[in-house]
Amino acid sequence: MARNRRPVPKEQKRDELLAAAAQLLVLDGYEATSMSRLAQHAGVAPNTLYWYFHDKDELLVAVADRYLQALLREHASLADRPLADQFLWLIERLRPVKHLVATVHNRVAVSASVREWHTGFHQSFENLFERQLAGPLAAEHRTAEFAAATFILEGAITHGIDEATTGQLCKITADRLHRVAEAKMNAI
Amino acid sequence: MARNRRPVPKEQKRDELLAAAAQLLVLDGYEATSMSRLAQHAGVAPNTLYWYFHDKDELLVAVADRYLQALLREHASLADRPLADQFLWLIERLRPVKHLVATVHNRVAVSASVREWHTGFHQSFENLFERQLAGPLAAEHRTAEFAAATFILEGAITHGIDEATTGQLCKITADRLHRVAEAKMNAI
DNA sequence: ATCGATCTTGAATGGTAATCAAGAGACGGT
DNA sequence: ACCGTCTCTTGATTACCATTCAAGATCGAT
């Protein structure tokens, strides 16, 4: 048990800092937002951020995860919509943070915490695919097909694609996954 | 005509700086390589880099373009190999610079020069598709199909995918493009 | 020999992420 | 009621960064 407790529980304050950080990071991006400015916007000294987060990368990961978890919670209520619609919804929801998605991919090579979160991010996508497809995929196709679907969605998020093309990409990806799940491999 | 000429022509020296910069950037990545270190490794003062390149971003673009142009020149001799093989070759050639690919995507939002080069980068991919497919695609499918293919290839480059999966992704992408080009849209 | 353009550099500026050591605040044990 | 200890907060500092400025060096043309 915690021996000492502050008036504001640690988890809560951490979440407040996260909420404040999310605003600035979404607005201006990772590299254009300094720890000083994040602290200032949260009404706290820069060093306080380093008490709750080891790194700027760890802060990025926490913000990204906060966003992702909220997204997945919201997504749960759409689970019976057509898969292409779910993809479209996901893309439109992730577009506002597309620069952060790009930053995550960029910092995978640099930061261990980002690297770890990134694999979880992909895992979430694959879990979603698996859940939606009812039948399990043949093991030999699963990895590549899921990777292809994930890459298309990631590309649609991070690149500024027009609405019509985005819709087509969602349809292409969903159709393909359904076909593979039905194991009509000769038609693929 | 140039009124004054240095013992070493400007273009040549620029290219030497580029070659030196490429080594370090490929090895350590964009953010971990400072302009000072790039200058030091090229045997020149940091400011000299700013005479030949306006920005660190412009230097990145120049290095990336140097790499891409060499790649496309080499690729020309593979034009009669199966499309999937060409994709595999491209991916294996771009993997060593995957962090730079990620950096380019990350800095598209920040730097105008990177943004401009990035569209050219995608254009090169689409040109390659078009050239390889013999018949032209239906206009209504072209954009989305090319985008999907590009995103899969980009994903395969930037993510650390194992060899088997990479091969499958190449095959999936190539097959799909061929099918679409043959306009068997009912089977897609 | 000189002029002007091209190229190079040392020094400085304003910013950055991160660290360190000192402090303030709350609680449990006494 | 005091005290020590743990939690949290901060000011000061460090080392580095991209970029700019003004001054210098070097060359070709006149």
Side-chain angles (χ1 to χ4, degrees), chain A:
Chain A
M1 278 298 286
R3 283 267 295 287
N4 296 327
R5 262 294 159 85
R6 284 284 140 143
V8 177
K10 185 170 183 178
E11 287 266 322
Q12 180 183 327
K13 173 127 193 187
R14 194 184 132 105
D15 203 64
E16 288 169 11
L17 295 177
L18 238 42
Q23 289 188 349
L24 258 60
L25 284 178
V26 169
L27 201 62
D28 293 343
Y30 179 85
E31 14 267 329
T33 309
S34 69
M35 291 295 269
S36 299
R37 214 152 62 83
L38 287 170
Q40 191 178 0
H41 184 249
V44 103
N47 272 355
T48 301
L49 294 178
Y50 285 95
W51 173 259
Y52 291 92
F53 311 96
H54 176 258
D55 251 348
K56 195 185 177 184
D57 284 302
E58 203 177 286
L59 178 54
L60 169 69
V61 162
V63 165
D65 198 53
R66 207 179 115 97
Y67 198 95
L68 177 64
Q69 297 309 326
L71 196 74
L72 293 178
R73 269 194 305 276
E74 278 193 70
H75 167 82
S77 64
L78 308 176
D80 49 355
R81 296 253 291 270
L83 193 51
D85 288 4
Q86 296 183 39
F87 288 164
L88 192 60
W89 181 86
L90 274 175
I91 290 172
E92 278 168 359
R93 262 341 201 80
L94 283 169
R95 276 250 174 82
V97 294
K98 65 172 175 168
H99 46 286
L100 294 184
V101 175
T103 297
V104 164
H105 282 92
N106 191 37
R107 298 197 68 77
V108 159
V110 173
S111 157
S113 43
V114 173
R115 184 159 52 249
E116 192 183 352
W117 184 82
H118 174 256
T119 71
F121 176 69
H122 276 235
Q123 194 61 246
S124 298
F125 271 78
E126 299 191 5
N127 289 346
L128 191 151
F129 298 154
E130 197 118 65
R131 233 180 298 126
Q132 289 289 323
L133 288 187
L137 281 205
E140 30 175 343
H141 296 124
R142 209 196 91 111
T143 307
E145 293 293 338
F146 281 8
T150 305
F151 294 159
I152 292 178
L153 296 184
E154 277 189 352
I157 291 161
T158 55
H159 295 73
I161 303 286
D162 63 85
E163 203 179 337
T165 308
T166 306
Q168 286 175 287
L169 283 174
C170 291
K171 185 166 168 3
I172 289 171
T173 308
D175 285 358
R176 167 111 199 168
L177 283 175
H178 280 133
R179 271 172 200 279
V180 180
E182 291 166 13
K184 294 179 177 173
M185 290 310 292
N186 54 335
I188 290 173

Side-chain angles (χ1 to χ4, degrees), chain B residues 21-39:
Chain B
Q23 289 189 349
L24 259 61
L25 284 178
V26 169
L27 201 62
D28 293 342
Y30 180 84
E31 13 269 328
T33 311
S34 70
M35 292 294 270
S36 298
R37 214 152 63 83
L38 286 170

Side-chain angles (χ1 to χ4, degrees), chain B residues 146-163:
Chain B
F146 280 8
T150 305
F151 294 159
I152 292 178
L153 296 184
E154 276 190 351
I157 292 162
T158 56
H159 296 75
I161 304 287
D162 64 83
E163 202 179 337

Side-chain angles (χ1 to χ4, degrees), chain B residues 125-146:
Chain B
F125 271 78
E126 300 191 5
N127 289 345
L128 190 151
F129 298 154
E130 196 118 66
R131 234 180 298 127
Q132 289 289 325
L133 288 187
L137 282 203
E140 30 174 344
H141 296 124
R142 209 195 91 113
T143 306
E145 292 293 341
F146 280 8

